[in-house]
Amino acid sequence: MLAYVIRRLMLMVPTLFGIMALSFVIIQFAPGGPVERIIAQLQGQDASNSSRIGGGGGDVGANAMVQAGDATSAYRGAQGLDPAFIKDLERQFGFDKPAHVRFFKMLGDYARFDFGRSFFRDASVIDLIREKLPVSVSLGLWMTLIAYAISIPLGIRKAMKDGSSFDVWTSAVIVVGYAIPGFLFAVLLVVLFAGGSFWQFFPLRGLTSSNFDELSLGGKILDYLWHIALPLVAMVISQFATLTLLTKNSFLDEIRKQYVLTARMKGLSETRVLYGHVFRNAMLIVIAGFPSAFVHAFFTGSLLIESIFSLDGLGLLAYESTLNRDYPVVFATLYIFSLMGLVLTLVADVIYTFIDPRIDFEARDV
């Protein structure tokens, strides 16, 4: 197993290289960039985002506007701004170097986890990620753990009681949960319990209260759970429904196989058949979805939830950076999400061997 883990770790390098190279090439052909964005601001075409982008006080965008000075007055319709100013702007953003030079420099920096500074925020990228990480870790980790803790036992129970009244009414609840998008359920929770139109039992902003540091240990835990309760419920509902059905169907497929019938004919108890034979085979497909579910919770699943509940996490940071063409932040979050997905996939493979010792990755070529 150790040799397999080493091989997988070595394969992560070319995989990350391919992901970053493909993304870098796509970005080169994407219309609009940081230079074009600054020019649009100077020409008054992007005023809606200028205050948000320039809010850092020491950012590149604000500096560029200050340096423009009389350059804006030299603008004459299609002639654009002063070419010397454009060249200086490209130098500030690092676009004065060829694309391949910028790409390999980025790879060298990322190998040392040096992500540079944000184009439009007065902070280094690693500081931004460190600031937003607690929100994403809280949402992603708790959502995944709670969803699996509920869905696996429920899915097993439904498989064992297939066709019973318990299976029917729980399936109805699951279908409703699956049909309602997480963000729509989040809006409903806000309306009902966060001061929308009815009660205000839960807060709407941040993971902790303003007096968090003054609370006791027990008070801090309760305050944290108080803030994260509604976002977690909204995120778990759709993931819980999908995972429960997946677990049930996986166990049903295994229960109907010949080896289960043989085990029962030998006189083994249902508990021994279920957890001694069926469990390790049925759980493989459930575990296979763990890496994608966890990364999904970090970015795609948490983006709208973070927006609705005013939680400033990595999902919202990556989305806003993409809109603002803040390439250092975009590539850094892509790099982290990709690395996280690869590592979690390896972790899932290792868990396979604990669930079913018959799996031998060392016997495979990869």
Side-chain angles (χ1 to χ4, degrees):
M1 189 63 188
L2 179 60
Y4 172 77
V5 171
I6 294 175
R7 288 199 301 270
R8 286 292 300 271
L9 290 174
M10 293 176 63
L11 283 173
M12 288 182 187
V13 176
T15 304
L16 281 174
F17 178 85
I19 293 173
M20 299 305 295
L22 181 61
S23 303
F24 189 85
V25 170
I26 293 175
I27 287 293
Q28 303 310 304
F29 293 98
V35 174
E36 290 84 352
R37 197 166 186 80
I38 294 299
I39 293 174
Q41 291 177 34
L42 293 173
Q43 296 174 356
Q45 298 174 5
D46 197 27
S48 62
N49 291 320
S50 60
S51 60
R52 180 178 61 182
I53 295 174
D59 52 87
V60 177
N63 291 337
M65 290 187 184
V66 174
Q67 293 176 8
D70 297 332
T72 53
S73 63
Y75 176 72
R76 295 291 184 271
Q79 294 180 359
L81 299 174
D82 184 358
F85 168 70
I86 301 298
K87 290 292 184 182
D88 185 60
L89 202 57
E90 291 177 348
R91 180 187 57 78
Q92 293 185 52
F93 285 109
F95 294 133
D96 56 329
K97 300 179 179 66
H100 69 279
V101 174
R102 289 186 279 117
F103 175 69
F104 285 105
K105 182 181 182 303
M106 179 185 71
L107 290 183
D109 292 339
Y110 281 16
R112 304 188 306 271
F113 286 90
D114 178 9
F115 301 118
R117 295 187 66 82
S118 167
F119 283 164
F120 299 106
R121 299 170 187 255
D122 188 23
S124 66
V125 176
I126 193 65
D127 288 340
L128 288 173
I129 293 176
R130 190 182 295 114
E131 178 186 347
K132 317 298 182 184
L133 193 59
V135 173
S136 296
V137 168
S138 295
L139 292 177
L141 184 60
W142 283 115
M143 190 216 76
T144 306
L145 291 177
I146 292 174
Y148 271 75
I150 296 175
S151 300
I152 291 176
L154 180 59
I156 295 174
R157 182 71 174 174
K158 285 175 62 62
M160 299 300 294
K161 299 289 185 180
D162 185 42
S164 66
S165 58
F166 172 82
D167 182 45
V168 172
W169 74 261
T170 53
S171 294
V173 174
I174 289 172
V175 168
V176 172
Y178 183 78
I180 300 177
F183 73 90
L184 188 60
F185 194 73
V187 173
L188 176 63
L189 291 177
V190 170
V191 172
L192 291 177
F193 304 114
S197 300
F198 293 89
W199 306 281
Q200 189 169 5
F201 296 147
F202 297 93
L204 262 182
R205 182 176 297 276
L207 288 180
T208 56
S209 301
S210 56
N211 64 335
F212 181 78
D213 293 334
E214 303 172 3
L215 300 175
S216 63
L217 178 60
K220 289 181 178 179
I221 294 175
L222 291 176
D223 183 74
Y224 169 76
L225 295 176
W226 182 48
H227 280 76
I228 205 173
L230 292 188
L232 270 183
V233 171
M235 292 183 67
V236 165
I237 190 70
S238 59
Q239 185 70 20
F240 146 81
T242 305
L243 190 56
T244 301
L245 293 178
L246 177 64
T247 304
K248 176 192 173 182
N249 293 332
S250 178
F251 272 80
L252 279 178
D253 289 341
E254 293 296 323
I255 289 173
R256 293 166 180 168
K257 290 184 178 179
Q258 185 64 39
Y259 75 91
V260 176
L261 178 61
T262 303
R264 287 172 174 167
M265 291 176 62
K266 289 181 177 180
L268 297 180
S269 65
E270 283 297 314
T271 302
R272 179 71 181 276
V273 172
L274 179 63
Y275 294 101
H277 294 78
V278 176
F279 184 81
R280 63 184 182 184
N281 295 325
M283 282 301 296
L284 294 179
I285 189 173
V286 178
I287 293 175
F290 178 79
S292 60
F294 193 68
V295 175
H296 168 83
F298 259 82
F299 180 64
T300 310
S302 63
L303 173 58
L304 292 174
I305 302 300
E306 288 177 8
S307 301
I308 293 172
F309 291 98
S310 300
L311 298 172
D312 198 3
L314 284 179
L316 189 59
L317 173 66
Y319 176 72
E320 290 183 346
S321 299
T322 302
L323 292 182
N324 296 333
R325 303 298 193 269
D326 197 347
Y327 293 154
V329 180
V330 172
F331 283 119
T333 52
L334 174 65
Y335 179 83
I336 290 174
F337 289 141
S338 301
L339 183 60
M340 187 185 304
L342 293 172
V343 171
L344 288 175
T345 303
L346 177 58
V347 171
D349 288 347
V350 174
I351 295 176
Y352 286 160
T353 62
F354 286 99
I355 292 180
D356 191 348
R358 296 171 300 173
I359 296 178
D360 184 10
F361 289 108
E362 300 238 5
R364 303 175 59 188
D365 294 333
V366 178

